[in-house]
Amino acid sequence: LKEKHSRLKTKMRSVYNSKIWRATAPLRWIQEKYHPTLLPRDTELRDDTNQITTEIDVPADTNITSSPHKILLVSYYCPTRAHAGGLRILDLYAFIRSNYPSVQIDIFTHHRPSIDWKINDIYDVFDNVYLSPNEDLTPQGLESLMGGSQFYNIIDLQFHQCGFNIDSFRKIGSKVIYTPMESLAKSFYFDVQGKSPIKNLFLLSNTARALRLAAEELVFLPKVDEVVCVSRADAAFLKAITSCQNIRGLDTGVSNFEFADALSSEYIASPAAERPLSILYIAYFGSETNVNALSWYLGKVHPQIKEAVPNYKFTIVGRGDLSSFSEQKDDSIDMVGEVDTLVPYIQNSRVCIAPALGGAGLRGKINQYAVMGVPTVVSPISHRGLAYKDGENIFVAETPTDFADRCIQLLEDTELNDKMGLSARLLCLKRYTWKSKLKLISKIYNLEDLDE
């Protein structure tokens, strides 16, 4: 692990001297001017248990010791089952609620019906629900909804947009946590890494926006007591390119809301031979990363598999506009789109895929496939930061031909399919359930001294 960290740190430092100066020079300038402490130093990456402390003024009339432990979640997107980030938060707080019932958990968020769908779950999880009439989630807006003010042990700011209000929320919380969800700095770096400056000139507006978001994220990091990334890979990246030691990774667990049956030790996946010759791709197709991945698969991988296994079917599931792929649709492609539950689609697939070509965050879909005992073929980027081992419980393939060959192998070799699927499920249950993260969660939210 230390060797991997060392290699990553060396690689990240190279961005500061990269020939891609159009992208990196402005980022260096912003850091040097506003946050020189963010520049890489010759220090070893520290253990995840390290965190910074910040002195704050606690209101004189606040008696924290005698009051219940209070957590305030401030989430730019409402936690619901409709999107991956929202489901992660919903699962996390439902887990805290079940293990620490004495804790007061409040939420301040904004509901977007077109994005969030139904929000009834949050009323079961949170003690007090404060719905802002607008997207600007400020302490002043919260106070107007409360009809007063409260002081919290933990303020948990979720999503990039909440980072702009870190300073103001610090006034009403002992410890401020920030979760950027997908690290925009990491995503920007890897997107730019493989492109020439000349090519980037044609995408100047997109590059400038991505640079701005990445710089904003880096400015947010030293302002909080703890940065909690959705994957250890994102955390390692941010540590490697900054001197911040208040960063840790909390990998997203498999959802208890969506996969309760599969999380049971009694669950047994159906044999591969009994499942259709189907390959499944689940993603949110409002994301450019996922659209590009689907385009790559349909254009370069799908034809090769179809030629080798003529009766195979490719199923695409997830919200978002798929109309741009309508010309590529034929009898072998089933564009399902948005669904209420993913379980039956995974159960009826022999192979699942995660062919991402860019982006950051954690590919939670891989754990969803794995917990149901279905083996997955992934790109190197999708595999980054996960514990699955190539050839043992996952296949990692970079080129279109290798990707197609691995898919064909799992479609046709049912014995291998069953073996890898079971191995993936066992590892998922060990590493990627919320239960497996109880100790880390209790540390992040200062719950260690409370009775479970």
Side-chain angles (χ1 to χ4, degrees):
L1 184 60
K2 287 183 178 180
E3 185 180 341
K4 288 184 178 179
H5 280 171
S6 178
R7 290 200 303 268
L8 178 61
K9 186 166 63 173
T10 300
K11 191 174 183 180
M12 295 307 99
R13 281 204 185 96
S14 68
V15 75
Y16 289 91
N17 300 308
S18 170
K19 293 181 180 179
I20 314 172
W21 60 268
R22 287 181 177 84
T24 61
L27 187 58
R28 292 198 302 273
W29 179 84
I30 290 170
Q31 289 189 321
E32 290 165 1
K33 182 174 177 62
Y34 295 106
H35 284 282
T37 59
L38 288 178
L39 296 177
R41 297 175 181 174
D42 292 326
T43 56
E44 293 297 323
L45 292 178
R46 300 179 188 175
D47 185 80
D48 277 347
T49 57
N50 291 327
Q51 64 183 56
I52 64 170
T53 57
T54 304
E55 294 184 0
I56 63 171
D57 294 325
V58 180
D61 60 348
T62 301
N63 187 352
I64 296 178
T65 57
S66 62
S67 62
H69 193 78
K70 296 181 181 178
I71 301 175
L72 173 66
L73 165 65
V74 183
S75 182
Y76 184 78
Y77 293 102
C78 190
T80 72
R81 307 185 193 198
H83 41 82
L87 182 59
R88 169 192 162 91
I89 300 171
L90 192 63
D91 272 305
L92 171 60
Y93 275 91
F95 183 73
I96 293 175
R97 164 62 68 225
S98 66
N99 285 275
Y100 300 96
S102 65
V103 174
Q104 177 182 321
I105 309 176
D106 297 346
I107 181 173
F108 181 36
T109 188
H110 175 65
H111 179 213
R112 303 166 181 78
S114 61
I115 297 175
D116 303 322
W117 299 349
K118 298 178 181 179
I119 62 172
N120 52 299
D121 287 320
I122 64 175
Y123 292 96
D124 296 328
V125 173
F126 297 92
D127 293 290
N128 298 294
V129 176
Y130 302 104
L131 292 178
S132 172
N134 55 62
E135 296 182 348
D136 192 14
L137 304 178
T138 65
Q140 294 76 20
L142 175 62
E143 186 174 338
S144 67
L145 292 172
M146 285 182 171
S149 63
Q150 286 195 52
F151 194 83
Y152 289 88
N153 301 83
I154 304 290
I155 304 285
D156 184 6
L157 305 176
Q158 295 272 349
F159 294 101
H160 180 85
Q161 294 86 343
C162 287
F164 296 102
N165 292 318
I166 289 172
D167 293 333
S168 55
F169 274 108
R170 179 167 290 287
K171 298 175 183 178
I172 64 168
S174 294
K175 177 181 179 180
V176 179
I177 298 169
Y178 167 62
T179 293
M181 213 51 73
E182 176 185 17
S183 170
L184 299 177
K186 180 183 176 186
S187 180
F188 171 75
Y189 172 72
F190 283 111
D191 285 349
V192 170
Q193 187 183 36
K195 299 175 182 177
S196 68
I198 294 177
K199 183 176 181 180
N200 280 330
L201 287 175
F202 294 101
L203 301 171
L204 189 58
S205 62
N206 289 340
T207 301
R209 178 178 180 276
L211 171 62
R212 174 178 60 80
L213 293 173
E216 288 170 353
E217 180 177 277
L218 295 179
V219 169
F220 296 156
L221 303 186
K223 288 187 174 186
V224 296
D225 299 293
E226 194 153 18
V227 180
V228 180
C229 296
V230 302
S231 73
R232 285 181 288 180
D234 279 16
F237 176 90
L238 291 177
K239 280 184 178 181
I241 66 167
T242 73
S243 63
C244 292
Q245 298 303 317
N246 61 331
I247 303 170
R248 73 167 84 233
L250 175 61
D251 292 338
T252 300
V254 176
S255 173
N256 288 286
F257 284 94
E258 293 288 327
F259 297 93
D261 291 341
L263 286 166
S264 168
S265 59
E266 298 178 358
Y267 177 84
I268 299 175
S270 59
E274 296 178 8
R275 301 197 300 269
L277 279 168
S278 174
I279 293 179
L280 175 68
Y281 182 35
I282 296 173
Y284 167 56
F285 296 104
S287 162
E288 183 181 358
T289 296
N290 295 331
V291 170
N292 290 340
L294 178 57
S295 179
W296 177 83
Y297 180 88
L298 286 175
K300 299 182 178 181
V301 180
H302 174 68
Q304 296 186 59
I305 301 175
K306 187 178 176 181
E307 182 178 356
V309 188
N311 55 338
Y312 117 91
K313 177 161 286 190
F314 178 47
T315 305
I316 307 165
V317 171
R319 77 184 335 184
D321 185 9
L322 293 170
S323 60
S324 60
F325 298 101
S326 57
E327 293 184 1
Q328 293 174 272
K329 191 177 184 308
D330 57 28
D331 292 339
S332 66
I333 300 174
D334 185 10
M335 295 185 182
V336 177
E338 207 170 285
V339 296
D340 291 332
T341 177
L342 303 174
V343 170
Y345 293 93
I346 301 176
Q347 281 179 329
N348 290 315
S349 299
R350 193 172 292 188
V351 182
C352 294
I353 62 170
L357 306 177
L362 180 80
R363 268 68 189 191
K365 64 175 71 71
I366 296 174
N367 293 330
Q368 294 171 348
Y369 302 151
V371 77
M372 300 194 69
V374 180
T376 305
V377 181
V378 304
S379 64
I381 287 178
S382 293
H383 182 246
R384 188 177 289 134
L386 291 172
Y388 301 98
K389 295 183 179 180
D390 183 25
E392 182 176 323
N393 38 42
I394 202 169
F395 272 142
V396 183
E398 186 167 12
T399 69
T401 298
D402 287 344
F403 205 97
D405 287 344
R406 293 305 194 186
C407 288
I408 294 167
Q409 190 175 1
L410 288 173
L411 284 173
E412 297 182 333
D413 189 340
T414 56
E415 183 177 346
L416 174 65
N417 188 302
D418 289 333
K419 180 181 177 181
M420 290 185 66
L422 177 59
S423 178
R425 171 172 163 76
L426 293 176
L427 185 133
C428 181
L429 291 174
K430 181 180 179 181
R431 294 286 300 271
Y432 297 110
T433 64
W434 289 111
K435 184 178 180 180
S436 69
K437 306 174 191 307
L438 177 59
K439 186 176 180 180
L440 178 57
I441 291 170
S442 66
K443 187 183 294 291
I444 292 171
Y445 290 91
N446 291 0
L447 303 169
E448 294 170 297
D449 296 331
L450 302 180
D451 293 331
E452 297 181 21

